[in-house]
Short mmCIF file of all heavy atoms in Angstrom, two decimals:
data_model
loop_
_atom_site.label_atom_id
_atom_site.label_comp_id
_atom_site.label_asym_id
_atom_site.label_seq_id
_atom_site.Cartn_x
_atom_site.Cartn_y
_atom_site.Cartn_z
N PRO A 664 1.00 -5.42 5.60
CA PRO A 664 1.63 -6.78 5.59
C PRO A 664 1.62 -7.31 6.93
O PRO A 664 1.84 -6.72 7.97
CB PRO A 664 3.02 -6.44 5.15
CG PRO A 664 2.96 -5.15 4.23
CD PRO A 664 1.79 -4.38 4.92
N PHE A 665 1.34 -8.70 6.94
CA PHE A 665 1.22 -9.44 8.21
C PHE A 665 2.60 -9.56 8.97
O PHE A 665 3.55 -10.02 8.35
CB PHE A 665 0.71 -10.83 7.93
CG PHE A 665 0.44 -11.67 9.11
CD1 PHE A 665 -0.75 -11.35 9.91
CD2 PHE A 665 1.25 -12.72 9.46
CE1 PHE A 665 -0.99 -12.14 11.01
CE2 PHE A 665 1.00 -13.49 10.52
CZ PHE A 665 -0.10 -13.28 11.33
N GLU A 666 2.57 -9.23 10.21
CA GLU A 666 3.68 -9.40 11.08
C GLU A 666 5.06 -8.85 10.39
O GLU A 666 5.13 -7.70 10.03
CB GLU A 666 3.96 -10.88 11.56
CG GLU A 666 2.75 -11.23 12.50
CD GLU A 666 3.10 -12.61 13.10
OE1 GLU A 666 3.94 -13.34 12.69
OE2 GLU A 666 2.41 -12.90 14.19
N ASP A 667 6.03 -9.69 10.09
CA ASP A 667 7.28 -9.26 9.49
C ASP A 667 7.31 -9.41 7.94
O ASP A 667 8.38 -9.20 7.36
CB ASP A 667 8.47 -10.05 10.07
CG ASP A 667 8.68 -9.70 11.57
OD1 ASP A 667 8.22 -8.57 11.98
OD2 ASP A 667 9.09 -10.61 12.37
N MET A 668 6.18 -9.76 7.33
CA MET A 668 6.12 -9.90 5.90
C MET A 668 6.40 -8.57 5.25
O MET A 668 5.94 -7.52 5.88
CB MET A 668 4.81 -10.46 5.38
CG MET A 668 4.53 -11.90 5.82
SD MET A 668 3.01 -12.57 5.25
CE MET A 668 3.30 -12.64 3.56
N ARG A 669 7.08 -8.42 4.12
CA ARG A 669 7.29 -7.12 3.46
C ARG A 669 6.32 -6.72 2.47
O ARG A 669 6.31 -5.64 2.05
CB ARG A 669 8.73 -7.26 2.88
CG ARG A 669 9.85 -7.56 3.74
CD ARG A 669 10.20 -6.37 4.72
NE ARG A 669 10.87 -5.26 4.02
CZ ARG A 669 11.16 -4.09 4.64
NH1 ARG A 669 10.68 -3.81 5.85
NH2 ARG A 669 11.78 -3.11 3.95
N TRP A 670 5.40 -7.71 2.10
CA TRP A 670 4.52 -7.44 0.97
C TRP A 670 3.39 -8.48 0.97
O TRP A 670 3.75 -9.62 1.39
CB TRP A 670 5.21 -7.35 -0.35
CG TRP A 670 4.36 -7.02 -1.47
CD1 TRP A 670 4.22 -5.67 -1.94
CD2 TRP A 670 3.64 -7.87 -2.41
NE1 TRP A 670 3.45 -5.73 -3.15
CE2 TRP A 670 3.10 -6.98 -3.32
CE3 TRP A 670 3.49 -9.22 -2.51
CZ2 TRP A 670 2.31 -7.55 -4.40
CZ3 TRP A 670 2.72 -9.70 -3.47
CH2 TRP A 670 2.12 -8.84 -4.42
N THR A 671 2.14 -8.17 0.61
CA THR A 671 1.16 -9.11 0.32
C THR A 671 0.44 -8.77 -0.92
O THR A 671 0.42 -7.67 -1.25
CB THR A 671 0.15 -9.20 1.58
OG1 THR A 671 -0.38 -8.01 1.77
CG2 THR A 671 0.81 -9.85 2.74
N ALA A 672 -0.23 -9.78 -1.53
CA ALA A 672 -0.90 -9.63 -2.86
C ALA A 672 -2.25 -9.10 -2.72
O ALA A 672 -3.00 -9.24 -1.77
CB ALA A 672 -0.87 -10.98 -3.65
N TYR A 673 -2.69 -8.46 -3.84
CA TYR A 673 -4.10 -8.21 -4.01
C TYR A 673 -4.77 -9.50 -4.52
O TYR A 673 -4.04 -10.32 -5.08
CB TYR A 673 -4.38 -7.08 -5.05
CG TYR A 673 -4.21 -5.67 -4.49
CD1 TYR A 673 -3.16 -4.82 -4.87
CD2 TYR A 673 -5.16 -5.18 -3.58
CE1 TYR A 673 -3.08 -3.58 -4.52
CE2 TYR A 673 -5.09 -3.93 -3.16
CZ TYR A 673 -4.02 -3.09 -3.55
OH TYR A 673 -3.84 -1.80 -3.12
N GLY A 674 -6.11 -9.58 -4.37
CA GLY A 674 -6.79 -10.79 -4.98
C GLY A 674 -8.11 -10.36 -5.53
O GLY A 674 -8.22 -9.71 -6.53
N SER A 675 -9.17 -10.68 -4.87
CA SER A 675 -10.57 -10.54 -5.42
C SER A 675 -10.78 -8.95 -5.52
O SER A 675 -10.29 -8.17 -4.76
CB SER A 675 -11.63 -11.14 -4.36
OG SER A 675 -11.43 -12.50 -4.36
N SER A 676 -11.68 -8.63 -6.43
CA SER A 676 -12.20 -7.26 -6.63
C SER A 676 -13.66 -7.17 -6.21
O SER A 676 -14.33 -8.20 -5.96
CB SER A 676 -12.08 -6.82 -8.11
OG SER A 676 -10.78 -7.07 -8.60
N PHE A 677 -14.09 -5.89 -6.03
CA PHE A 677 -15.51 -5.76 -5.78
C PHE A 677 -15.93 -4.51 -6.40
O PHE A 677 -15.19 -3.51 -6.68
CB PHE A 677 -15.70 -5.68 -4.17
CG PHE A 677 -14.99 -4.56 -3.47
CD1 PHE A 677 -15.57 -3.31 -3.15
CD2 PHE A 677 -13.72 -4.92 -2.97
CE1 PHE A 677 -14.86 -2.34 -2.52
CE2 PHE A 677 -13.02 -3.90 -2.32
CZ PHE A 677 -13.52 -2.66 -2.14
N LEU A 678 -17.28 -4.47 -6.69
CA LEU A 678 -17.90 -3.29 -7.32
C LEU A 678 -18.88 -2.61 -6.33
O LEU A 678 -19.60 -3.45 -5.52
CB LEU A 678 -18.77 -3.75 -8.56
CG LEU A 678 -17.79 -4.22 -9.72
CD1 LEU A 678 -18.59 -5.11 -10.66
CD2 LEU A 678 -17.33 -3.01 -10.55
N ILE A 679 -19.02 -1.38 -6.34
CA ILE A 679 -20.00 -0.69 -5.45
C ILE A 679 -20.87 0.20 -6.23
O ILE A 679 -20.38 1.02 -7.05
CB ILE A 679 -19.16 0.26 -4.45
CG1 ILE A 679 -18.31 -0.50 -3.53
CG2 ILE A 679 -20.19 1.11 -3.57
CD1 ILE A 679 -19.01 -1.58 -2.57
N GLY A 680 -22.16 -0.03 -6.23
CA GLY A 680 -23.10 0.81 -7.02
C GLY A 680 -23.97 -0.12 -7.91
O GLY A 680 -23.89 -1.35 -7.79
N PRO A 681 -24.70 0.47 -8.88
CA PRO A 681 -25.62 -0.35 -9.60
C PRO A 681 -24.71 -1.11 -10.58
O PRO A 681 -24.20 -0.53 -11.58
CB PRO A 681 -26.40 0.69 -10.36
CG PRO A 681 -25.72 1.97 -10.32
CD PRO A 681 -24.87 1.96 -9.06
N VAL A 682 -24.67 -2.50 -10.44
CA VAL A 682 -23.91 -3.35 -11.24
C VAL A 682 -24.57 -3.73 -12.44
O VAL A 682 -25.68 -4.37 -12.39
CB VAL A 682 -23.38 -4.57 -10.52
CG1 VAL A 682 -22.55 -5.47 -11.32
CG2 VAL A 682 -22.67 -4.12 -9.26
N GLU A 683 -24.08 -3.40 -13.63
CA GLU A 683 -24.66 -3.78 -14.93
C GLU A 683 -23.64 -4.48 -15.75
O GLU A 683 -22.43 -4.40 -15.43
CB GLU A 683 -25.26 -2.55 -15.60
CG GLU A 683 -24.24 -1.55 -15.88
CD GLU A 683 -24.88 -0.33 -16.53
OE1 GLU A 683 -25.69 -0.42 -17.40
OE2 GLU A 683 -24.52 0.83 -16.11
#
Side-chain angles (χ1 to χ4, degrees):
F665 183 77
E666 291 189 349
D667 294 328
M668 295 178 70
R669 301 291 283 173
W670 186 88
T671 55
Y673 279 113
S675 301
S676 305
F677 57 95
L678 293 157
I679 299 295
V682 180
E683 56 185 318

